[in-house]
């Protein structure tokens, strides 16, 4: 059965938000079990998201507005100056969503009138290597027509806050993985080796090549979350979290809830790794594969439905 484009678009956005919401309470916690996470998933009341979903929604809205009524042209999809202000305004409206220390300072400078290029270098001279560009990037995979377009959109969406090469590599890795997850039919078996090869080709870096070797190796065997985070990292840096998210997805490509639980049990930056893994697994298997009561409890469910329809 072919999973439709709209189902995959919904799966991508809701998978991202679900991973963020379920992962946030477990940030930095060790010894978390599947039943701890299932209990949170089966609870009642709204599921609150953090900065990861807040900024993914801003990016999705930006892409939807700029595509509206126009022919698909990658050049027009992102206006960096506008996008930087929209990100900064989202932070200003809700600064309590758990933003990183670096972006908090640069967003403060941007809302005060500093151009984003100067604001971000004022905080980290080489640019931030945090995972903030990668955590929010998945919506670009709904817009770019192929690996090249998706790569370009990923870089442009990330660089307004994250200029460091490793942060850009992280955004490209996550966006290209999301693109492939959409393209591949979930009814067919997924080759982890071939998947990682395609992502690797989009990320020219020896540091990342080593990470991809480990991801490919661990994806082929029955690795557990503790071994995965020991081998790949689970911190707020892009190279220390994006590969772990990719592995979490490859371990459970058709089970978004299981991919999210794997990411959370790996510890560290759980909201972000689970958000990235959830976006990939949701994009691959579609909205119908997500746990039903939990997705309807997502705080941003209405907006997520709206942008999925616009971007599909
Ligand atoms: O990348 P960013 O948006 O943070 C995202 C994380 C996710 O886990 C979210 O869920 C949220 O909790 O935060 O924010 P940045 O502030 O750009 O980067 C995150 C952190 O990485 C910074 O606060 C620094 O600790 C570290 N970092 C750096 N440290 C030294 N030098 C990033 N770049 C540098 C650097 O160049
Ligand atoms: Mg967060
Ligand atoms: Mg955090
Ligand atoms: Mg985080």
């Amino acid at each position: 059965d072919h999973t439709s484009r709209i189902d995959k678009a919904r799966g991508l956005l809701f998978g991202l938000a679900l991973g963020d919401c379920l992962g946030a309470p477990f940030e930095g916690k060790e010894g978390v079990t599947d039943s701890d996470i299932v209990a949170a998933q089966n609870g009642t009341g709204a599921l609150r998201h953090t900065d990861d979903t807040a900024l993914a929604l801003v990016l999705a809205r930006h892409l939807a507005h700029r595509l509206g009524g126009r022919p698909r042209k990658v050049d027009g999809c992102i206006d960096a100056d506008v996008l930087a202000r929209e990100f900064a305004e989202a932070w200003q409206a809700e600064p309590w969503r758990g933003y990183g220390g670096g972006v908090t300072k640069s967003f403060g400078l941007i809302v005060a009138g500093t151009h984003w290029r100067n604001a971000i270098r004022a905080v980290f001279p080489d640019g931030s290597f945090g995972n903030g560009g990668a955590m929010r990037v998945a919506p670009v995979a709904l817009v770019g027509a192929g690996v090249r377009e998706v790569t370009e959109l990923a870089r442009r969406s990330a660089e307004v806050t994250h200029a460091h090469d490793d942060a850009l590599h992280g955004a490209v890795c996550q966006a290209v993985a999301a693109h492939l997850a959409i393209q591949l039919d979930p009814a067919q078996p997924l080759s982890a080796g071939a998947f990682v090869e395609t992502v690797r080709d989009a990320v020219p870096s020896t540091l990342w090549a080593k990470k991809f070797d480990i991801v490919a190796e661990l994806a082929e065997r029955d690795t557990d979350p503790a071994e995965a985070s020991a081998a790949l990292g689970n911190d707020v840096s892009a190279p220390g979290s994006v590969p772990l998210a990719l592995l979490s997805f490859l371990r459970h490509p058709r089970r978004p809830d299981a991919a999210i639980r794997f990411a959370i049990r790996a510890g560290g930056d759980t909201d972000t790794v689970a958000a990235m893994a959830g976006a990939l697994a949701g994009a691959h298997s579609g909205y119908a594969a997500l746990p039903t009561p939990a997705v309807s409890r997502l705080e941003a469910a209405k907006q997520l439905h709206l942008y999925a329809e616009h971007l599909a």
Side-chain angles (χ1 to χ4, degrees), residues 110-305:
I110 291 167
V111 296
T114 305
H115 191 269
W116 59 267
R117 282 191 195 282
N118 302 323
I120 63 179
R121 300 282 182 178
V123 179
F124 297 121
D126 299 325
S128 170
F129 51 66
N131 54 21
M135 73 186 184
R136 67 184 185 226
V137 78
V140 307
L142 301 172
V143 170
V147 170
R148 273 182 55 185
E149 278 190 15
V150 169
T151 298
E152 176 68 13
L153 290 171
R155 294 181 63 91
R156 288 170 57 171
S157 75
E159 73 182 0
V160 300
T161 50
H162 289 71
H164 195 287
D165 273 347
D166 279 325
L168 298 173
H169 290 324
V172 170
C173 174
Q174 171 68 6
V176 169
H179 168 71
L180 292 174
I182 293 167
Q183 296 301 310
L184 294 171
D185 180 355
Q188 303 296 321
L190 188 148
S191 160
F195 195 102
V196 172
E197 269 318 297
T198 308
V199 176
R200 178 207 301 270
D201 287 346
V203 181
S205 153
T206 48
L207 167 69
W208 285 76
K210 283 181 195 142
K211 296 273 185 175
F212 292 135
D213 287 341
I214 300 169
V215 170
E217 192 221 314
L218 294 183
E220 295 300 341
R221 52 186 178 82
D222 203 20
T223 186
D224 66 21
E227 182 187 28
S229 54
L232 292 168
N234 63 5
D235 59 40
V236 296
S237 72
S241 56
V242 181
L244 177 61
L246 177 58
L247 176 63
S248 303
F249 158 66
L250 291 171
R251 292 283 285 109
H252 302 284
R254 276 170 295 277
R255 292 282 313 284
D257 56 335
I260 285 169
R261 286 198 296 274
F262 187 98
I264 294 171
R265 287 171 53 209
D269 190 4
T270 48
D271 63 336
T272 301
V273 179
M276 294 189 289
L280 299 180
H284 186 51
S285 52
Y287 181 74
L290 293 168
T292 310
V295 288
S296 60
R297 286 163 50 223
L298 292 172
E299 186 187 357
K302 256 178 87 173
Q303 291 153 279
L304 295 163
H305 273 302

Side-chain angles (χ1 to χ4, degrees), residues 33-48:
T33 64
D34 274 339
S35 54
D36 295 333
I37 304 161
V38 169
Q41 184 184 301
N42 294 340
T44 54
L47 284 169
R48 300 271 166 215

